[in-house]
Amino acid sequence: MNRPKRVAITGAAGQIGYQLCFRIASGDLLGPNQPVILQLIEIAPALDALKGVVMELEDAAFPLLAGVEATADLETGFKDADYAILVGAKPRGPGMERADLLSENGKIFGPQGRALNAVASRDVKVLVVGNPANTNALIAQANAPDLPKENFTAMTRLDHNRALAQLAARTGIHHTSIRQMTIWGNHSSTQYPDLHHTLVAGKPAMEAEGVDASWYESDFIPTVQQRGAAIIKARGASSAASAASAAIDHIRDWALGTDGDDWVSMAVPSDGSYGIEPGVIYSFPCTCENGQWSIVQGLEINEFSRARMDATDQELREERAAVESLL
Ligand code: NAX
């Protein structure tokens, strides 16, 4: 058996954290031959609830679970972590402006970045799920100067998977036969789900049965952008199992590699590719190999896409400006 990998999760007693713990302990993150140690982090008032999660993990007797720790102390929780999934965040309260939300979250992600910098594995791979995820990742990254900048990412994989599901439903082709889906930009309503490079059963998605410009612009794009709100309306609670599943997809593909000529959507530090502002954490089409992601290069960008890619870039620049003092 391999040496156990340490996976830290913040917000571990919350609804996404609760799903993540059991999926990871059962081997869904790193495969059936990789033992894991879970390092679960919560704020002090949630430690009792977290104790219950630990008891359930013990009771599940997972063969791959080599240990569980539960703590409210960041340096204990991130010690030697190989992976850190940052889920706990401050939700938007009534009347709260975006700038307030960003600065409240800065108070969480700044200290978390500093703790990762101090005690995590020097190659810790970080995924931020807690919203506003892209800019929270930027804050954590800025506070961890000794760690590789490219190891700080944010989650748009749920949006990617939602886009696959919508296109599969429209075309009647199973999502496993759809490749090269792209979400550009911010995990917010400005995100741009792009079908211009997507293949459905090997053929261009924009020419697939049931797909035309009107459906794409007036139905597909807004449905993907607003799927989170539709789930809240139907379930009375925000997406949890699908969000945890997407977080697992994100880390698994990053660690173990993407499939052949397919790619995935990951929010990563922009290197200026496709004219996007360098430094912002922007969702690009990415391939992964040997634990490293790379942005897919050379895709042709038409005018329609350009305008939407720039709008979501603009939003990320504004978010960055709003948290400048924390960077
Ligand atoms: P919950 O409110 O169920 O759980 C959050 C947990 O985080 C709570 O148990 C809370 O005690 C804990 N927490 C808060 N501050 C913390 C801190 N400083 N350190 C450690 N733990 C802390 O929320 P849940 O539904 O699990 O959602 C968590 C976050 O994911 C939210 O910010 C949400 O907006 C975000 N999402 C992001 C998505 C994405 O695609 N990027 C999709 C799903 C989800 O909406």
Side-chain angles (χ1 to χ4, degrees):
M1 266 293 183
N2 300 319
R3 171 185 79 80
K5 295 279 189 194
R6 293 179 174 273
V7 184
I9 304 172
T10 70
Q15 36 154 19
I16 296 174
Y18 185 68
Q19 295 283 335
L20 274 175
C21 288
F22 292 84
R23 292 279 309 272
I24 294 173
S26 71
D28 285 352
L29 188 72
L30 298 170
N33 299 314
Q34 179 57 63
V36 290
I37 296 173
L38 289 176
Q39 303 185 173
L40 309 180
I41 303 172
E42 261 295 348
I43 47 175
L47 281 178
D48 272 344
L50 187 59
K51 200 165 154 198
V53 176
V54 173
M55 288 160 70
E56 280 203 80
L57 282 164
E58 288 165 1
D59 293 350
F62 288 114
L64 288 172
L65 190 58
V68 189
E69 288 155 26
T71 182
D73 178 67
L74 293 176
E75 294 207 358
T76 307
F78 288 136
K79 180 91 183 107
D80 297 330
D82 298 293
Y83 300 93
I85 309 179
L86 309 185
V87 182
K90 177 109 186 165
R92 194 171 197 147
M96 206 177 191
E97 294 298 325
R98 196 172 60 173
D100 300 333
L101 180 70
L102 286 162
S103 78
E104 282 300 310
N105 277 291
K107 293 182 199 147
I108 296 176
F109 288 86
Q112 290 184 355
R114 288 195 286 281
L116 285 163
N117 195 56
V119 299
S121 155
R122 295 303 82 187
D123 190 38
V124 61
K125 289 181 164 55
V126 181
L127 168 63
V128 176
V129 175
N131 280 321
N134 300 52
T135 298
N136 287 341
L138 185 69
I139 295 169
Q141 181 204 53
N143 284 276
D146 304 328
L147 298 175
K149 279 195 170 343
E150 65 273 18
N151 283 16
F152 287 80
T153 66
M155 185 163 99
T156 49
R157 185 62 176 265
L158 180 55
D159 309 299
H160 177 105
N161 289 347
R162 287 168 171 167
L164 289 176
Q166 290 303 317
L167 186 58
R170 181 71 177 185
T171 58
I173 303 285
H174 193 260
H175 53 262
T176 48
S177 298
I178 300 178
R179 302 175 80 75
Q180 300 177 186
M181 178 63 72
T182 306
I183 304 291
W184 300 98
N186 200 2
H187 170 70
S188 75
S189 58
T190 66
Q191 64 174 268
Y192 170 47
D194 183 1
L195 290 185
H196 292 98
H197 315 287
T198 306
L199 301 174
V200 176
K203 306 224 171 68
M206 294 301 280
E207 293 163 24
E209 177 112 24
V211 176
D212 57 28
S214 145
W215 175 78
Y216 175 55
E217 290 170 33
S218 315
D219 193 332
F220 174 79
I221 293 177
T223 299
V224 173
Q225 288 171 333
Q226 288 153 29
R227 184 72 166 176
I231 302 274
I232 292 173
K233 193 157 172 246
R235 211 173 82 85
S238 57
S239 320
S242 57
S245 200
I248 285 172
D249 289 347
H250 177 115
I251 298 260
R252 188 199 55 232
D253 289 345
W254 187 3
L256 306 181
T258 43
D259 184 23
D261 61 357
D262 202 4
W263 65 61
V264 294
S265 302
M266 296 171 73
V268 299
S270 168
D271 61 357
S273 292
Y274 297 100
I276 301 306
E277 171 73 3
V280 297
I281 309 282
Y282 188 98
S283 179
F284 288 99
C286 291
T287 54
C288 303
E289 207 181 346
N290 301 323
Q292 307 286 327
W293 53 261
S294 340
I295 296 170
V296 174
Q297 298 294 332
L299 299 177
E300 226 170 272
I301 305 298
N302 64 20
E303 240 173 80
F304 180 87
S305 295
R306 186 76 259 164
R308 280 154 188 78
M309 288 163 65
D310 288 347
T312 189
D313 179 9
Q314 182 57 34
E315 183 180 51
L316 283 168
R317 293 178 200 220
E318 288 167 13
E319 289 189 10
R320 183 174 64 179
V323 299
E324 207 174 358
S325 62
L326 302 166
L327 303 179

